[in-house]
């Protein structure tokens, strides 16, 4: 019952120091004692469970049945090889699934909320999992509470506790309260803050009293059995495709079996061929391949400073055609510097500020005291704007810690994105002074007087107009303008609502946050890719346009709309105007939702950036919500699909590029697998339909299918990105994965199937010396002739598929221009596949199992020529494609 104890007693009980926090050595000791601050999740599957999960498939059941029947009928080699295929498929599936799980676990670790704690006398930001009992926790608006905390200092702190109590209205917290009733409900424990709840307003400091499973949320184990469905739309579509293929395979197999029965073929052979064809028709490894390609792609994105929180975002990224981006820190360097100030009717550079002048000194004191940033030689924490103000004070030996020591803060109203103001109440000798800073236009509406050269005089409308004119000059120079005001208040018990009225205007400062050097190139790249960049900022309209023009986002002031103008439009009017807009200035987070909806109303796929608590609705409304990893609140991160660890616009563009490449690589794998499987169906189906001897035994098909379902497909999944991918327009999310590829799929499937049949025919001709087609019928063939011909068909089927994987790297670029060795994994897969095939026919033990024989040099020449035809044919087709594309570009 921590709520019933005084904070002083808890400090003693937990052996902590509210000023210094815990020492590093003590933290390590407590970690060992209490463990990590996290809830226990679901236990992972054991190796045995994973293995049986891989076998839980209708086609695997059919294969097992086929193996048992083969063994029962004395076909031991067939039974063994089917068993090996099942086993290898299961092992590959386990490896792929475990890799995908590890990749997803790594993502969860990277997106763990951060917490500010006091340790070794310093404020440090750590992953919330590392919090231990006794830690001194600093809470500000927008952060999740990392553990159960007994508060000992609060300033207008409100916490939303719906995750625990179900009550959505934020609760006011009061550190001074001590509750005696032992049965006080959680919702009434106002001196406590609980794990997984959310600070929505104000700030506070407290002691961690319970972590992990010992917290209130841990006791009810609310999150223990959450099982998130991480399947992407693509995976769902491919699962549906698998069902369609299954039905088609069953129909084909039934027709094959019926034809074979009418032709009075061996029913066991027909049964085995039908089953192997069913398995060949469906790429069982496809879901696992898609998952691992997505997971590996996401890992690559992490290295480029983009954390993907939800796998569907990877697909959506490739379709983004609108990027709505905050200016500060994303398009700019987030290194604000005060360059100018206006005071005593004069606009000067900051270097000309006279600290001996009472008005100018009060201006700087106001900006340093009305400020939540912390600044030391070793660390700087807080909003970049506030850090810049503290740095401006240091220029004139006005150090924040010294000022706060002599002018103690006794009350405050935190910054609010609607008010665009912040106020503190500080002691000045025996007086209390309200210090307010914020947006100039909002401030002038609440100021009635002005402080000039030590005198307080009425603030006339003419003076306001002059001040605004001077602010426009600063804005035209791309400076962000902040106003400062003050007033004296009789005591600290004044109503909060009255602190920000009847203020005395002191002056204003202008600061600049220069554009990031690389952003201009990224915006140009977006423009060439059919992606529009929209800048959103709280800055003045002129300031916003100055930056937008420099970055080539906007060309004319007519492309800029302010928040006030936006408020005057209904949804339909904004939807019409938004087509021509590129910049939104002086907007609040609430406006962002309207902006997103307006762009989406035209069928656009919209990405939106955000970092604040109030940005969460717009991040959810966007197709891709992008949170800032450095300045972003936990709420924004929780609502996002992607987190930027460097808060850089260029990272969004890199993520879009990577998203496009990931989708392309998955498409390559899918089309490759299906074209290969189609080739196997055609080879068997045509031969049986024509009454010929079957060109392949069931174990041949199963083995070839195993090879093409794993290494080559996976290697295509990690193919190096197409350097020209950003020259293409964004992909429509409605487009099928087979768009522009159906013809290639059918052509290559037919080609591989016919080449396999051609190898079978050539093998028969070489062995029998006959020129007639009739020896292809079973009754006219000896067992030796069949083994010889099937060996050639087996090799051509497998090698032609492996060679065909090279064609899949690009739809129109030659493999020779791409570079044969730019995907070393694919080359390794091809070489390994050919080597395995060679070992199968040359090692007597394996040759007996597969019922094949060693080939002569002449045979290998024939097989090589036939296997290379898919590569040659596709290279010729690509030449015509490139000629066609060149003509279109010229036209």
């Amino acid at each position: 019952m921590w709520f019933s104890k005084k904070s002083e007693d808890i400090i003693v009980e937990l052996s902590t120091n509210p000023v210094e926090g815990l020492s590093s050595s003590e933290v390590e000791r407590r970690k060992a004692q209490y463990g990590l601050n996290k809830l226990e999740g679901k236990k992972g599957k054991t190796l045995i469970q994973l293995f049986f999960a891989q076998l839980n498939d209708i086609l695997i059941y059919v294969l097992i049945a086929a193996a048992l029947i083969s063994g029962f009928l004395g076909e031991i080699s067939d039974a063994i090889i089917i068993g090996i295929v099942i086993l290898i498929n299961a092992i590959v599936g386990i490896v792929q699934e475990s890799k995908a799980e590890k990749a997803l676990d790594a993502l969860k670790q990277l997106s763990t909320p951060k917490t500010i704690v006091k340790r070794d006398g310093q404020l440090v930001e750590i992953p919330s999992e590392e919090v231990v009992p006794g830690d001194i926790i600093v809470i500000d608006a927008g952060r999740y509470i990392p553990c159960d905390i007994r508060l000992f200092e609060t300033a207008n702190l409100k916490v939303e506790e719906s995750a625990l109590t179900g009550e959505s209205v934020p609760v006011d917290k009061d550190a001074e309260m001590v509750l005696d009733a032992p049965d006080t409900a959680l919702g009434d424990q106002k001196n406590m803050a609980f794990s997984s709840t959310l600070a929505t307003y104000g700030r506070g400091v407290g002691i961690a009293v319970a972590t992990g499973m010992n917290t209130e949320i841990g006791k009810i184990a609310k999150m223990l059995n959450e099982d998130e469905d991480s399947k992407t739309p693509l995976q769902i579509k491919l699962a549906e495709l698998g069902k369609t293929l299954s039905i088609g395979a069953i129909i084909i197999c039934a027709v094959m079996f019926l034809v074979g029965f009418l032709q009075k073929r061996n029913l066991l052979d027909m049964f085995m061929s039908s089953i192997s064809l069913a398995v060949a028709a469906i790429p069982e490894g496809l879901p696992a391949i898609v998952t691992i390609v997505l997971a590996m792609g996401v890992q690559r994105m992490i290295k480029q400073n983009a954390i993907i929180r939800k796998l569907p975002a990877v697909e959506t990224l490739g379709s983004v055609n609108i990027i709505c981006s905050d200016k500060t820190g994303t398009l700019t360097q987030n290194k604000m510097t005060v360059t100018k100030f206006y005071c005593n009717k004069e606009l000067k550079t900051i270097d000309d500020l006279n600290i001996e002048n009472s008005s100018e000194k009060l201006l700087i004191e106001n900006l340093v005291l009305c400020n939540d940033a912390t600044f030391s030689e070793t660390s700087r924490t807080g909003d970049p704007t506030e850090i810049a103000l503290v740095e401006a004070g240091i220029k004139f030996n006005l150090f924040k810690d010294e000022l706060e020591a002599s002018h103690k803060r006794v009350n405050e109203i935190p910054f609010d994105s609607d008010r665009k103001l912040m106020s503190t109440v500080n002691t000045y000798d025996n007086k209390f002074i309200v210090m307010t800073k914020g947006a100039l236009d909002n401030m002038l509406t609440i100021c009635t007087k002005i402080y000039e050269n030590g005198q307080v005089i009425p603030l006339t409308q003419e003076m306001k107009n002059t001040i605004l004119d001077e602010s426009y000059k600063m804005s035209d120079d791309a400076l962000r303008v902040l106003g400062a005001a003050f007033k004296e208040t009789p005591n600290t018990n004044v109503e909060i609502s009255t602190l920000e009225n009847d203020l005395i205007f002191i002056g204003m400062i202008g600061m600049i946050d220069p554009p990031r050097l690389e952003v201009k190139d990224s915006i140009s790249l977006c423009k060439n890719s059919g992606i529009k960049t929209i800048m959103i900022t709280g800055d003045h309209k002129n300031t916003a346009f100055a930056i937008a023009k420099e970055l080539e986002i906007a060309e004319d002031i007519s492309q800029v709309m302010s928040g006030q103008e936006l408020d005057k439009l209904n949804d339909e009017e904004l939807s019409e105007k938004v087509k021509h807009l590129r910049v939104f200035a002086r907007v609040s987070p609430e406006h962002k939702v309207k902006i997103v909806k307006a762009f989406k109303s035209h069928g656009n796929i919209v990405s939106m950036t955000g970092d604040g608590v109030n940005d969460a609705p717009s991040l959810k409304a966007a197709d891709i919500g992008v949170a800032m990893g450095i300045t972003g609140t936990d709420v924004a991160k929780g609502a996002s699909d992607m987190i930027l660890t460097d808060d850089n616009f260029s990272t969004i563009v890199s993520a879009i590029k990577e998203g496009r490449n990931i989708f392309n690589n998955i498409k390559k794998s899918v089309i490759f697998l299906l074209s290969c499987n189609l080739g196997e169906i055609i080879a068997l189906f045509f031969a049986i339909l024509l009454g010929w001897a079957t060109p392949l035994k069931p174990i041949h098909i199963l083995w070839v299918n195993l090879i093409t379902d794993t290494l080559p497909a996976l290697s295509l999944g990690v193919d190096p990105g197409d350097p020209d991918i950003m020259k293409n327009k964004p992909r429509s999310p409605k487009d099928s994965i087979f768009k522009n590829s159906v013809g290639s799929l059918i052509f290559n499937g037919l080609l591989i199937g016919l080449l396999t049949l051609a190898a079978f025919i050539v093998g028969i001709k070489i062995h029998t010396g006959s020129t007639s087609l009739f020896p292809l019928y079973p009754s006219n063939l000896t067992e030796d002739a069949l083994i010889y011909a099937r060996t050639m068909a087996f090799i051509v089927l497998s090698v032609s598929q492996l060679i065909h994987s090279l064609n899949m790297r690009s739809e129109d670029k030659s493999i020779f221009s791409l570079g044969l060795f730019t995907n070393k994994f694919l080359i390794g897969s091809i070489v390994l596949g050919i080597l395995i095939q060679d070992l199968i026919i040359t090692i007597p033990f394996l040759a007996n199992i597969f019922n094949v024989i060693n080939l002569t040099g002449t045979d290998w020449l024939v097989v090589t020529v036939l296997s290379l035809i898919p590569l040659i044919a596709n290279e010729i087709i690509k030449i015509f494609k490139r000629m066609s594309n060149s003509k279109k570009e010229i036209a």
Side-chain angles (χ1 to χ4, degrees):
M1 297 193 297
W2 300 102
F3 60 87
S4 64
K5 298 178 181 180
K6 292 182 179 179
S7 57
E8 296 86 355
D9 297 335
I10 295 173
I11 288 169
V12 174
E13 187 174 338
L14 292 176
S15 303
T16 189
N17 185 320
V19 177
E20 297 293 322
L22 297 175
S23 65
S24 298
S25 58
E26 180 61 19
V27 168
E28 293 305 315
R29 189 189 70 77
R30 296 191 186 196
K31 274 185 188 177
Q33 180 181 353
Y34 296 104
L36 289 176
N37 174 37
K38 64 178 183 179
L39 297 176
E40 293 174 5
K42 291 177 70 176
K43 290 184 178 179
K45 292 179 181 178
T46 65
L47 198 60
I48 297 296
Q49 288 173 322
L50 282 172
F51 178 78
F52 282 107
Q54 300 302 319
L55 302 182
N56 187 21
D57 184 278
I58 185 64
L59 288 171
I60 298 298
Y61 296 154
V62 173
L63 274 181
I64 293 170
L68 293 174
I69 293 170
S70 297
F72 180 75
L73 296 175
E75 298 289 338
I76 303 300
S77 61
D78 280 6
I80 291 172
I81 201 68
I82 293 172
I84 291 171
V85 167
I86 293 170
L87 183 63
I88 292 176
N89 256 328
I91 291 171
V92 169
I94 290 169
V95 171
Q96 290 175 338
E97 186 172 326
S98 62
K99 279 187 178 180
E101 283 301 316
K102 284 177 183 176
L104 295 173
D105 285 343
L107 291 184
K108 290 176 184 177
Q109 291 292 326
L110 284 166
S111 57
T112 299
K114 299 288 194 293
T115 302
I116 294 178
V117 298
K118 282 185 182 179
R119 287 185 179 170
D120 296 315
Q122 296 286 329
L123 286 177
V124 292
E125 190 174 48
I126 62 169
S128 60
E129 289 183 354
E130 295 181 11
V131 170
V132 296
D135 259 325
I136 304 301
I137 312 291
V138 178
I139 304 165
D140 53 13
R143 285 192 187 271
Y144 282 107
I145 308 299
C147 58
D148 287 359
I149 298 169
R150 172 60 165 92
L151 300 163
F152 63 78
E153 183 183 318
T154 52
N156 305 315
L157 180 63
K158 294 177 185 287
V159 178
E160 195 263 289
E161 298 181 337
S162 60
L164 186 64
T165 65
E167 179 57 57
S168 59
V169 178
V171 178
D172 289 298
K173 295 297 179 179
D174 184 0
E176 301 300 320
M177 184 179 289
V178 177
L179 302 162
D180 295 327
D183 57 348
T184 303
L186 289 177
D188 295 326
Q189 294 177 20
K190 296 191 176 182
N191 57 6
M192 296 286 296
F194 300 104
S195 175
S196 298
T197 60
L198 169 66
T200 60
Y201 194 81
R203 60 188 181 87
V205 183
I207 312 162
V209 294
T211 58
M213 295 303 291
N214 295 320
T215 60
E216 293 296 332
I217 202 83
K219 289 174 185 175
I220 60 174
K222 185 176 184 293
M223 302 182 200
L224 283 183
N225 293 315
E226 286 187 1
D227 187 16
E228 294 183 8
D229 182 10
S230 60
K231 284 191 176 179
T232 72
L234 176 61
Q235 288 172 314
I236 294 168
K237 287 178 184 176
L238 290 177
E240 293 170 356
L241 173 65
K243 291 178 183 177
T244 305
L245 288 174
S246 299
I247 294 169
I250 290 169
I251 292 171
I252 291 172
C253 293
V255 171
M256 273 185 58
F257 191 80
L258 180 62
V259 170
F261 176 78
L262 294 173
Q263 292 175 348
K264 297 182 179 180
R265 292 177 182 248
N266 183 291
L267 292 183
L268 175 62
D269 285 346
M270 286 309 304
F271 172 73
M272 294 299 296
S273 295
S274 298
I275 287 173
S276 59
L277 187 58
V279 177
I282 302 162
E284 306 95 324
L286 190 56
I289 286 170
V290 171
T291 301
I292 199 154
V293 169
L294 281 171
M296 290 171 73
V298 165
Q299 287 296 314
R300 286 199 301 274
M301 285 186 177
I302 291 169
K303 293 175 183 176
Q304 298 177 30
N305 300 313
I307 299 173
I308 301 296
R309 296 186 64 251
K310 301 167 186 175
L311 277 184
V314 178
E315 295 169 38
T316 312
L317 275 168
S319 303
V320 167
N321 63 343
I322 299 280
I323 302 177
C324 296
S325 175
D326 282 323
K327 176 185 76 71
T328 305
T330 309
L331 295 172
T332 58
Q333 295 179 23
N334 207 16
K335 293 178 182 177
M336 300 296 293
T337 305
V338 178
T339 57
K340 292 184 179 181
F341 77 98
Y342 176 86
C343 192
N344 299 324
K345 297 182 180 179
E346 290 185 280
L347 180 62
K348 302 178 183 178
T349 66
I350 193 66
D351 294 331
D352 294 329
L353 185 139
N354 180 11
I355 200 67
E356 300 300 324
N357 182 285
S358 59
S359 297
E360 294 182 13
K361 181 182 180 184
L362 185 61
L363 173 64
I364 294 295
E365 284 185 352
N366 172 291
L367 299 171
V368 174
L369 287 170
C370 186
N371 194 312
D372 284 332
T374 59
F375 192 97
S376 69
E377 292 182 5
T378 56
S379 68
R380 303 176 185 185
T381 59
D383 182 83
T385 297
E386 297 200 323
I387 291 173
L389 299 178
V390 174
E391 287 179 326
I394 291 171
K395 279 187 178 183
F396 303 99
N397 295 318
L398 294 176
F399 298 97
K400 188 170 188 287
D401 53 351
E402 293 178 5
L403 273 178
E404 288 185 333
S406 55
H407 304 298
K408 185 179 177 183
R409 183 187 297 191
V410 293
N411 206 341
E412 66 183 280
I413 307 178
F415 176 81
D416 182 275
S417 57
D418 292 323
R419 293 173 18 257
K420 295 187 175 68
L421 298 170
M422 174 185 175
S423 295
T424 63
V425 181
N426 299 83
T427 58
Y428 266 73
D429 297 327
N430 297 319
K431 297 181 292 185
F432 297 102
I433 301 294
V434 178
M435 294 291 195
T436 301
K437 78 170 192 303
L440 185 68
D441 45 1
N442 289 30
M443 180 160 291
L444 287 177
T445 62
I446 56 176
C447 287
T448 57
K449 303 179 185 69
I450 187 169
Y451 189 60
E452 285 186 1
N453 295 312
Q455 299 293 318
V456 176
I457 59 176
L459 178 63
T460 65
Q461 187 59 49
E462 184 181 350
M463 288 178 178
K464 288 184 179 181
N465 292 339
T466 300
I467 293 167
L468 286 172
D469 288 341
E470 294 297 333
S471 74
Y472 296 150
K473 290 178 184 177
M474 287 196 275
S475 296
D476 289 342
D477 291 333
L479 297 180
R480 182 183 181 189
V481 180
L482 279 181
F486 80 108
K487 74 174 181 180
E488 186 176 333
T489 186
N491 55 60
T492 59
N493 297 322
V494 177
E495 286 287 330
I496 290 288
S497 59
T498 66
L499 287 180
E500 290 179 343
N501 58 29
D502 196 26
L503 296 178
I504 304 165
F505 186 76
I506 308 169
M508 57 187 172
I509 54 98
M511 55 178 65
I512 190 165
D513 180 13
R516 289 180 183 264
L517 299 176
E518 70 279 10
V519 162
K520 193 171 182 179
D521 290 337
S522 296
I523 290 169
S524 175
L525 181 62
C526 285
K527 201 176 288 185
N528 295 333
S529 304
I531 302 171
K532 293 178 184 175
T533 303
I534 309 298
M535 189 175 92
I536 298 176
T537 177
D539 284 344
H540 191 275
K541 193 172 181 178
N542 290 355
T543 307
F545 176 63
I547 293 287
K549 189 174 183 180
E550 185 178 344
L551 291 173
E552 298 182 359
I553 292 175
E555 298 172 356
D556 190 84
I557 192 72
S558 63
Q559 294 177 300
V560 185
M561 176 178 279
S562 69
Q564 287 181 332
E565 293 170 322
L566 194 151
D567 284 330
K568 295 175 184 176
L569 303 176
N570 59 35
D571 291 343
E572 290 75 20
E573 290 169 335
L574 179 59
S575 179
E576 182 59 33
K577 284 185 175 290
V578 82
K579 299 175 187 175
H580 312 290
L581 295 173
R582 296 292 178 271
V583 181
F584 292 89
R586 305 303 279 166
V587 297
S588 65
E590 287 72 18
H591 288 134
K592 287 186 174 184
V593 177
K594 291 185 71 174
I595 294 168
V596 169
K597 288 181 178 178
F599 279 115
K600 288 181 72 173
S601 67
H602 297 287
N604 295 304
I605 305 300
V606 181
S607 168
M608 170 66 80
T609 66
D611 56 7
V613 177
N614 291 340
D615 286 330
S618 62
L619 292 176
K620 287 185 176 179
D623 298 287
I624 295 286
V626 182
M628 301 298 107
I630 299 172
T631 60
T633 60
D634 290 337
V635 182
K637 293 173 186 175
S640 68
D641 303 289
M642 182 170 82
I643 299 172
L644 306 183
T645 58
D646 60 355
D647 291 10
N648 191 338
F649 175 85
S650 295
T651 302
I652 303 174
V653 182
S654 297
I656 289 173
K657 182 179 180 180
E658 191 65 45
R660 289 186 178 189
N661 277 318
I662 289 171
F663 186 87
N664 272 8
N665 285 350
I666 290 173
K667 180 177 178 178
K668 293 173 192 176
S669 296
V670 172
I671 303 299
F672 168 69
L673 288 170
L674 293 180
S675 60
C676 291
N677 291 3
L678 179 61
E680 295 163 12
I681 292 171
I682 286 168
L684 271 182
F685 190 73
F686 279 10
I688 290 171
L689 201 63
L690 294 171
W692 297 352
T694 51
L696 298 158
K697 286 183 70 83
I699 56 173
H700 298 159
I701 295 174
L702 291 171
W703 185 257
V704 170
N705 207 43
L706 176 68
I707 294 172
T708 56
D709 260 355
T710 50
L711 294 178
L714 267 177
S715 299
L716 284 170
V718 295
D719 202 36
D722 181 357
D724 297 326
I725 192 78
M726 293 301 283
K727 291 181 180 178
N728 303 328
K729 300 301 178 189
R731 176 184 58 84
S732 170
K734 296 178 183 178
D735 287 348
S736 165
I737 194 171
F738 300 107
K739 184 180 180 181
N740 301 326
S741 299
V742 175
S744 173
L745 191 158
I746 293 172
F747 170 77
N748 284 293
L750 276 168
L751 186 59
I752 290 169
L754 294 175
L755 287 171
T756 303
L757 287 175
F760 182 67
I761 295 169
V762 170
I764 294 291
K765 300 300 180 188
I766 292 173
H767 193 271
T768 62
S770 171
T771 57
S772 170
L773 282 178
F774 290 105
L776 292 172
Y777 294 119
S779 57
N780 297 332
L781 294 173
T782 64
E783 186 64 23
D784 287 346
L786 265 177
I787 292 173
Y788 184 85
R790 282 171 175 165
T791 302
M792 292 190 71
F794 179 39
I795 298 298
V796 167
L797 178 65
S798 59
V799 177
S800 64
Q801 289 184 3
L802 291 168
I803 296 297
H804 172 51
S805 65
L806 294 171
N807 298 322
M808 299 308 304
R809 291 194 58 196
S810 175
E811 292 181 351
D812 53 11
K813 292 179 182 175
S814 167
I815 186 62
F816 303 106
S817 66
L818 288 172
L820 272 172
F821 297 99
T822 48
N823 186 340
K824 295 181 177 63
F825 293 109
L826 184 58
I827 296 299
S829 300
I830 294 170
V831 171
L832 182 61
I834 294 172
L835 179 63
I836 290 172
Q837 293 300 112
D838 187 39
L839 292 175
I840 285 173
I841 65 172
T842 54
I843 297 174
F845 169 72
L846 292 174
N848 288 334
I849 293 176
F850 282 87
N851 207 7
V852 291
I853 61 169
N854 200 358
L855 298 179
T856 65
T858 303
D859 298 334
W860 269 111
L861 181 61
V862 172
V863 165
T864 302
V865 170
L866 290 173
S867 299
L868 287 173
I869 288 175
L871 180 63
I872 296 167
N874 279 275
E875 284 295 317
I876 293 170
I877 291 170
K878 287 178 181 180
I879 290 171
F880 288 105
K881 276 188 179 181
R882 290 194 294 274
M883 290 170 60
S884 175
N885 291 338
S886 296
K887 287 179 182 177
K888 287 179 183 177
E889 288 176 8
I890 293 169

